[in-house]
């Protein structure tokens, strides 16, 4: 009896540490590595970046020259940075609705298609499998190059128009045509598939009921049945599109950069910060300050968007 | 012990994690010799045989075990990041070293290696490697840029090779036709590649010897306005498949004149024979003089290296004592001018034709970007130049903004010293 009590206590103590059926142990075995990875590769760099943003950190990640909010005021007064935020805003305001409309239109057309639906679905979806870098290089070097044998200029030539240096012309800003089309081509198919899935979930009885009630097929049915029924899909698509727009880097960098840097137009914040912090400048303090500002903006926009769409609320509410 | 599903998965995950942490440092090619292990980095040269050559040099050195890493991709970014860690190179090639690298004590002082031979190095490229009276990198070879023009096309259009910037603007306009443009300054219209060259051609400079802004002068705006004229006249080739550094646009006849590097000379010579000539950037204004930009990759020693002394000895052996290897490196693969004046004078290949012109321009008109011209200044100036050229922005106002930014940047770096 005298020895049984401590043993029991020991067992219950171990249960306290490891949990029932060692559940706590297994929790850490499975979650631990990912938590560790998240910490090492995401949160430590994030924290470090905030730390660096308060220092004059040229070519060093262990700076000792504290400058307070100096980097932040410098960044906010820096026209190149504020310009890049505008660039980005204009880009998102255009690309989000444009991709939304195009992919919805594609989905509606493919959905109505009775024959060869799988074929059209794959054809429109295929570009999503292409990398941004590859697509950007094709756009830059073969379709929209500035010389007479580029595809776009060949077409212009048929109509007797002058050749255009697409990526180098700032007035009118033809480079936007290149940037926007490459992203539309790459993205539209993917969101079309999301919309198709949404369309297939709409119950046919709704359409039958609408027909009985005398709704005219076409715009009226779309406006009052299809579009409201796609609300959940639409919210997801818009969220994803905005996130993708925030990440704008690949096609911009590959279309417009050259060995000597990047032109001062169509320069989104990530590209600008890349050159500030990681290019030859190696101004890690200033770059970090810009990154923190950008992160704050993204956080505000995301929270605002979630509120706006009522994301996270229960379906019933 | 029974193996349950959870245990198996857990073990698998742990194994996977372990194996993912394994590293392959890839540092075991081309090494030889006894003594300390040194890792040497080069950026990727486009010319055939260069990689083999530098590995051969490293293998010939017996006092240390030197392994060469040939690094394609964004070399400047790679070295900058690697120098922050202990796993970086011991000795490395650098398009600099930059002022911030020197002030940040990332590269070692190499002054003592130059004893007795300092005067043999081309002063134009040695100056940007010198800071506070000390030398921080050994210039390897000189690269320069110049204007290539097609003699036959100029003759057809009745145009003389331009001697002034105004003549260049006129010539480019006359040479532009439906199929051929007059001039190619890069797909960005010249903002990137020209840099300070037009300012030097106007008799100004980027940073003065006293460390002040060197282009706070109405002449600067006037000269840069003329580059915009080239753009406004639609004389510039834009959007070519290959950029200015590649002579393709020139040899394919897309343009009658192109700004490119000395490295393009062998290709141009092969494709066009005698039908081309080279010029410096033409002078502008009364105080102007022709100008060609020169630069040199330098060999430097990282202060993070555990074998700084061995690294210095190796660099002295390769880039100061072994003149035969320096000559081989400069002229056997690509086409560069040796950084040593004595070698440049001796080199057979540089004695005739366009190559001889190039060497003469380098000696007479060569201008290297000063060390105080930091990346922050360069990007502010380049942005302004792009807006002047393409958007037709007022050169006066744009330059005023640049002068303000560059002064602030010069103040920052002076404060540090």
């Amino acid at each position: 009896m005298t020895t049984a009590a401590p043993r029991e206590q020991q067992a219950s103590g171990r249960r306290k540490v490891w949990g029932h059926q060692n559940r706590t142990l297994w929790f850490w075995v499975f979650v631990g590595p990912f938590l560790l990875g998240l910490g090492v590769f995401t949160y430590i760099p994030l924290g470090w970046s905030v730390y660096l943003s308060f220092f004059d950190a040229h070519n060093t990640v262990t700076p000792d020259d504290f400058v307070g909010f100096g980097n932040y005021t410098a960044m906010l007064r820096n026209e190149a940075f504020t310009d890049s935020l505008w660039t980005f805003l204009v880009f998102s305001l255009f690309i989000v609705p444009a991709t939304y409309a195009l992919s919805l239109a594609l989905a509606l057309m493919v959905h109505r298609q009775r024959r060869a639906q799988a074929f059209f679905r794959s054809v429109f979806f295929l570009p999503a499998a292409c990398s941004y870098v590859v697509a950007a290089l094709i756009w830059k070097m073969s379709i929209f190059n500035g010389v007479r044998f580029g595809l776009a200029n060949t077409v212009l030539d048929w109509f007797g128009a002058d050749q255009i240096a697409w990526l180098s012309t700032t007035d009118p800003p033809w480079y936007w045509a290149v940037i926007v089309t490459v992203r539309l081509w790459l993205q539209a198919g993917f969101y079309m598939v999301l919309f198709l899935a949404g369309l297939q979930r709409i119950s046919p009885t709704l359409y039958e009921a609408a027909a009985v009630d005398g709704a005219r097929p076409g715009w009226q049915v779309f406006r009052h049945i299809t579009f409201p029924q796609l609300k959940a899909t639409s919210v997801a698509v818009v969220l994803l599109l905005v996130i993708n727009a925030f990440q704008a880097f690949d096609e911009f960098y590959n279309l417009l950069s050259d060995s000597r840097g990047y032109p001062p137009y169509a320069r989104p914040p990530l590209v600008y910060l890349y050159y500030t912090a990681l290019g030859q400048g190696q101004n890690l303090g200033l770059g970090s300050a810009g990154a923190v500002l950008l992160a704050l903006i993204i956080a505000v926009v995301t929270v605002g968007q979630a509120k706006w769409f009522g994301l996270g609320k229960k379906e019933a509410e | 012990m029974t193996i349950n599903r959870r245990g198996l998965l857990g073990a698998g995950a742990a194994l996977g994690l372990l194996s993912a942490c394994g590293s392959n440092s890839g540092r075991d090619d081309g090494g030889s010799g006894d003594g300390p292990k040194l890792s040497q980095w080069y950026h990727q040269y486009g010319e055939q045989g260069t990689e083999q050559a530098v590995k051969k040099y490293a293998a010939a050195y017996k006092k240390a075990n030197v392994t060469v890493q040939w690094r394609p991709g964004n070399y400047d970014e790679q070295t900058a990041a690697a120098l922050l860690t202990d796993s970086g190179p011991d000795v490395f090639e650098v398009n600099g070293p930059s002022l911030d690298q020197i002030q940040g004590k990332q590269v070692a002082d190499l002054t003592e290696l130059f004893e007795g031979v300092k005067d043999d190095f081309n002063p134009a490229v040695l100056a940007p490697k010198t800071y506070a009276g000390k030398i921080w990198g050994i210039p390897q070879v000189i690269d320069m840029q110049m204007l290539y023009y097609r003699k036959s096309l100029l003759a057809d259009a009745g145009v003389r090779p331009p001697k002034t910037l105004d003549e260049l603007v006129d010539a480019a306009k006359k040479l532009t036709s439906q199929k051929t443009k007059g001039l190619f300054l890069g797909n960005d219209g010249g903002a990137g590649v020209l840099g300070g060259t037009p300012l030097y051609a106007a008799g100004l400079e980027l940073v003065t010897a006293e460390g002040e802004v060197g282009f706070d002068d109405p002449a600067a705006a006037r000269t840069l306005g003329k580059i915009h004229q080239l753009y406004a006249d639609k004389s510039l080739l834009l959007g070519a498949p290959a950029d200015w550094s590649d002579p393709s646009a020139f040899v394919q006849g897309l343009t009658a004149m192109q700004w490119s590097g000395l490295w393009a000379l062998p290709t141009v010579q092969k494709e066009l024979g005698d039908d081309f000539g080279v010029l410096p950037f033409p002078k502008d204004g009364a105080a102007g003089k022709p100008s060609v930009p020169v630069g040199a990759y330098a060999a430097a020693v990282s202060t993070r290296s555990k074998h700084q002394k061995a690294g210095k000895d190796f660099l002295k052996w390769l880039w100061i004592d072994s003149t035969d290897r320096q000559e081989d490196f400069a002229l056997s693969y690509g086409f560069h001018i040796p950084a040593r004046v004595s070698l440049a004078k001796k080199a057979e290949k540089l004695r005739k034709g366009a190559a001889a012109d190039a060497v003469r321009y380098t000696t007479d008109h060569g201008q290297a970007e000063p060390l105080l011209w930091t990346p922050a200044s360069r990007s502010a100036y380049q942005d302004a130049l792009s807006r002047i050229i393409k958007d037709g922005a007022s050169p006066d106002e744009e330059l005023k903004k640049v002068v303000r930014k560059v002064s602030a940047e010069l103040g920052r770096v002076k404060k540090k010293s």
Side-chain angles (χ1 to χ4, degrees):
Chain A
M1 286 304 278
T2 45
T3 52
R7 201 179 291 158
E8 230 165 65
Q9 245 173 21
Q10 208 179 5
S12 83
R14 205 169 61 201
R15 198 176 300 148
K16 236 179 230 161
V17 177
W18 295 126
H20 181 59
Q21 288 184 337
N22 287 347
R23 281 203 180 150
T24 318
L25 169 72
W26 287 112
F27 173 80
W28 285 113
V29 166
F30 282 105
V31 175
F34 298 101
L35 213 59
L36 193 74
L38 198 67
V40 170
F41 295 112
T42 305
Y43 290 114
I44 291 180
L46 211 72
W48 206 302
S49 178
V50 174
Y51 168 77
L52 281 178
S53 68
F54 292 106
F55 287 86
D56 175 11
H58 278 84
N59 293 62
T60 176
V61 287
T62 49
D64 43 21
D65 187 2
F66 185 76
V67 294
F69 283 94
N71 283 328
Y72 287 91
T73 48
M75 212 54 179
L76 288 172
R77 278 200 206 122
N78 183 350
E79 263 176 52
F81 182 66
T82 44
D83 278 357
S84 78
L85 291 176
W86 282 113
T87 297
F88 164 67
L89 186 73
V90 172
F91 175 66
S92 330
L93 284 181
F94 183 81
I95 196 74
V96 173
T99 320
Y100 181 89
L102 180 68
S103 47
L104 181 58
L106 281 176
L108 289 170
M109 286 192 282
V110 171
H111 190 60
R112 278 175 67 104
Q113 188 73 18
R114 289 276 164 265
R115 274 190 226 159
Q117 207 195 64
F119 170 75
F120 283 109
R121 214 167 40 202
S122 341
V123 163
F124 288 124
F125 182 70
L126 262 181
C130 182
S131 101
Y132 270 79
V133 178
V134 172
L137 290 180
I138 294 171
W139 249 247
K140 178 184 187 167
M141 303 210 278
S142 63
I143 301 181
F144 286 107
N145 72 27
V147 292
R148 59 177 185 273
F149 47 74
L151 183 63
N153 279 336
T154 309
V155 173
L156 283 184
D157 197 41
W158 293 341
F159 299 101
D162 273 346
Q163 41 185 288
I164 293 173
W166 297 93
L167 284 165
S168 311
T169 310
T170 51
D171 182 32
W174 285 117
Y175 52 87
W176 279 124
V178 185
I179 294 168
V180 165
T181 48
V182 70
R183 191 169 264 244
L184 277 178
W185 183 75
L186 282 165
Q187 283 191 338
F190 177 76
Y191 295 103
M192 176 201 75
V193 170
L194 295 191
F195 277 124
L196 270 177
L199 285 172
Q200 277 156 4
R201 273 186 39 196
I202 302 175
S203 161
T205 53
L206 280 175
Y207 290 107
E208 285 159 18
V212 171
D213 287 344
R216 268 167 286 130
W219 175 248
Q220 219 172 21
V221 168
F222 173 76
R223 168 76 185 74
H224 293 286
I225 310 282
T226 315
F227 192 67
Q229 287 291 314
L230 282 175
K231 187 179 176 239
T233 315
S234 295
V235 168
V237 166
V238 169
L239 274 180
L240 288 173
L241 279 173
V242 171
I243 290 171
N244 270 343
F246 272 127
Q247 294 172 343
F249 181 86
D250 303 27
E251 78 270 42
F252 284 84
Y253 184 77
N254 285 293
L255 284 171
L256 285 167
S257 77
D258 58 40
S259 56
R260 292 303 173 111
Y262 196 93
Y265 50 85
R267 183 164 56 185
L270 281 181
V271 172
Y272 179 69
L273 294 176
Y274 170 79
Y275 277 103
T276 305
L278 304 175
Q280 261 218 331
Q282 288 285 312
N283 192 343
L284 298 167
L286 196 62
S288 298
V292 171
L293 288 172
L294 189 62
L296 286 177
I297 294 171
I298 293 176
V300 168
V301 171
T302 315
V303 170
Q305 220 180 7
K307 275 258 159 64
W308 173 271
F309 286 128
L311 207 73
K313 279 191 199 152
K314 294 261 164 58
E315 287 282 331
E317 281 182 63
Chain B
M1 188 185 130
T2 55
I3 300 176
N4 58 21
R5 208 164 23 169
R6 231 192 257 166
L8 189 70
L9 269 172
L15 270 178
L17 203 70
L18 280 180
S19 60
C21 287
S23 71
N24 173 11
S25 64
R27 281 198 193 168
D28 43 9
D29 52 342
S32 101
D34 308 318
K37 277 174 103 92
L38 290 178
S39 135
Q40 184 184 23
W41 285 18
Y42 285 95
H43 84 284
Q44 183 184 32
Y45 284 77
E47 298 97 13
Q48 283 276 310
T50 318
E51 183 179 3
Q52 287 71 21
V54 297
K55 284 185 172 160
K56 202 174 66 200
Y57 307 153
Y61 187 63
K62 296 298 170 210
K63 286 186 194 141
N65 181 359
V66 184
T67 53
V68 169
Q69 276 198 50
W70 192 252
R71 302 193 72 97
N74 295 355
Y75 183 78
D76 293 340
E77 282 87 340
Q78 289 177 25
T79 41
L83 288 178
L84 299 175
T85 70
D86 286 330
S87 56
D90 298 295
V91 293
F92 63 105
E93 178 185 70
V94 60
N95 189 8
S98 72
L99 184 58
D100 283 305
Q101 281 172 336
I102 296 171
Q103 289 186 333
K105 301 194 170 49
Q106 292 189 311
V107 289
D109 173 12
L110 304 179
T111 318
E112 55 186 28
L113 310 186
F114 284 82
E115 217 161 282
V117 293
K118 191 176 161 213
D119 294 337
D120 193 28
F121 279 87
N122 187 310
V125 293
L126 194 58
K129 318 291 175 204
T130 312
Y131 179 69
K134 292 174 181 156
I135 306 173
W136 304 88
I138 310 175
Q140 296 178 168
V141 288
I142 302 177
D143 274 319
M144 56 87 71
Q145 296 156 20
M146 53 191 173
L147 186 68
Y148 289 78
Y149 65 93
R150 190 90 169 252
K151 282 181 182 163
S152 58
L153 290 176
L154 265 67
D156 289 348
V159 175
R160 281 188 313 144
K163 293 267 185 278
T164 66
L165 187 52
D166 293 315
E167 284 181 29
L168 180 68
V169 174
D170 284 345
K173 195 171 180 183
K174 279 188 195 147
L175 287 164
T176 299
S177 67
Q178 193 61 32
K179 291 209 160 162
T180 309
K181 288 284 187 182
L183 177 61
F184 184 38
L185 294 175
N187 284 329
D188 61 356
V193 66
L194 289 183
T197 306
L199 298 179
Y200 286 107
L204 304 167
E205 49 193 339
L206 291 170
V207 182
T208 62
E210 292 77 40
E212 303 293 334
V213 180
F215 52 91
D216 193 0
D217 190 301
R222 208 166 49 228
T223 302
L224 298 186
K226 289 176 188 172
I227 317 265
H228 168 65
Q229 192 57 44
L230 283 166
Y231 180 85
D233 286 346
K234 295 191 188 295
S235 313
L236 291 182
L237 174 66
L238 296 163
D243 215 348
W244 62 272
S245 57
D246 188 315
S248 304
F250 183 61
V251 299
Q252 287 167 8
L254 292 173
T255 176
M257 298 184 281
Q258 177 178 342
W259 187 261
S260 191
L262 177 64
W263 56 84
L265 192 67
T267 315
V268 174
Q269 213 148 29
K270 204 176 96 197
E271 300 285 333
L272 300 179
D274 287 335
D275 186 21
F276 80 100
V278 293
L279 288 172
F281 192 89
K283 65 178 180 187
D284 185 46
K289 49 187 193 298
S291 156
V292 293
V294 298
Y297 265 87
V301 176
S302 163
T303 49
R304 287 257 188 178
S305 164
K306 290 186 189 70
H307 308 292
Q308 276 191 52
K309 177 75 180 64
K312 284 182 190 174
D313 289 345
F314 170 62
L315 288 191
K316 182 168 176 0
W317 172 81
L318 179 57
W319 292 116
I320 292 191
D321 296 339
S322 308
T323 45
D324 50 335
R325 293 192 178 84
Q326 290 156 35
E327 194 179 348
D328 178 60
F329 185 74
L331 292 160
S332 300
Y333 315 100
F335 205 73
H336 314 271
I337 301 174
R340 306 280 288 267
V341 178
S342 59
L343 290 180
K345 277 189 186 147
K346 246 180 19 194
E348 199 62 45
K349 279 192 188 170
L350 299 175
R351 283 212 190 139
K352 53 180 190 296
D357 291 339
V359 174
R360 206 178 65 241
Y361 299 151
T362 306
T363 323
D364 297 347
H365 312 304
Q367 302 287 354
E369 275 191 357
L371 190 59
L372 292 175
W373 189 244
T374 58
S377 298
R378 188 183 306 128
S379 65
Y381 173 76
Q382 197 170 311
D383 283 2
L385 188 53
S386 172
R387 281 192 282 262
I388 293 169
I389 295 177
K390 287 194 190 172
D391 305 350
S394 150
D396 279 312
E397 278 165 37
E398 288 292 331
L399 279 172
K400 227 176 268 168
K401 279 190 271 178
V402 178
V403 167
R404 210 169 51 231
K405 275 187 196 161
V406 174
S407 307
E409 178 70 2
L410 287 172
R412 175 185 78 83
V413 296
K414 264 185 259 172
K415 208 170 60 191
K416 263 194 176 176
S417 56

